Structures are given as C-alpha cells and as structure tokens.
Amino acid sequence: MKTMTCKQLGGACDLAFTAETFEDLVSQSKMHGMQMFQQQDAQHMEAMAKVQMLMMNPQAMQQFMDSKRAEFDALPAD
C-alpha cells in the first residue's frame, strides 16, 4: 500500500489516500473531489479549476498525470 495526500495529487488538503495502485488512489481522490464540490469548499474549488485548465490541454494533463504516477511509483510501500 502507498499513501499520497489530496495536496500531492493537486488538491487542497492533507487528507491521505492509501491504495495498492495509482488508479485506485486517483479513484479515491475523485470521490473526495466530488464531496468537496458538493460542499462548495472554496480551496478545493480553486484546485479543481486549475486541474480543469490542464484538462483543456491533453498533453499537459498527460504530463501532470505521468508526474503524479511517477511520484506514486517512487513511494515506499506502507
């Protein structure tokens, strides 16, 4: 298992996500993001806006995801 925080994944808080795979970690992060969106949490809304800007450029978004995956891969297992 490996752990990354919301902030490490481009979010706004220190909530930790733990998973065996990067894909599972991203899934947990997305669920958290949806909860924060429903609550209209200002800090998370700002972070989501930045990610949405990346999504407009598929190459930039791929680079972002690749860098986060590399960060995940480099983590020691818990």
Side-chain angles (χ1 to χ4, degrees):
M1 298 290 266
K2 296 183 180 186
T3 302
M4 290 180 78
T5 65
C6 177
K7 278 184 186 173
Q8 286 176 297
L9 295 166
C13 72
D14 292 321
L15 181 66
F17 308 108
T18 301
E20 290 283 340
T21 67
F22 181 70
E23 290 74 19
D24 288 344
L25 203 75
V26 169
S27 179
Q28 290 177 39
S29 176
K30 285 181 182 180
M31 288 175 45
H32 172 64
M34 286 188 284
Q35 291 171 339
M36 294 299 99
F37 179 79
Q38 289 172 346
Q39 295 175 18
Q40 292 293 293
D41 180 83
Q43 290 177 319
H44 283 85
M45 296 300 289
E46 184 178 328
M48 286 180 219
K50 290 177 184 177
V51 173
Q52 283 181 330
M53 291 299 293
L54 280 175
M55 293 175 88
M56 291 182 185
N57 180 336
Q59 184 178 6
M61 186 64 185
Q62 187 63 50
Q63 288 174 339
F64 173 80
M65 292 302 288
D66 289 346
S67 72
K68 297 303 174 184
R69 179 183 297 278
E71 189 176 339
F72 176 83
D73 290 342
L75 290 171
D78 293 341

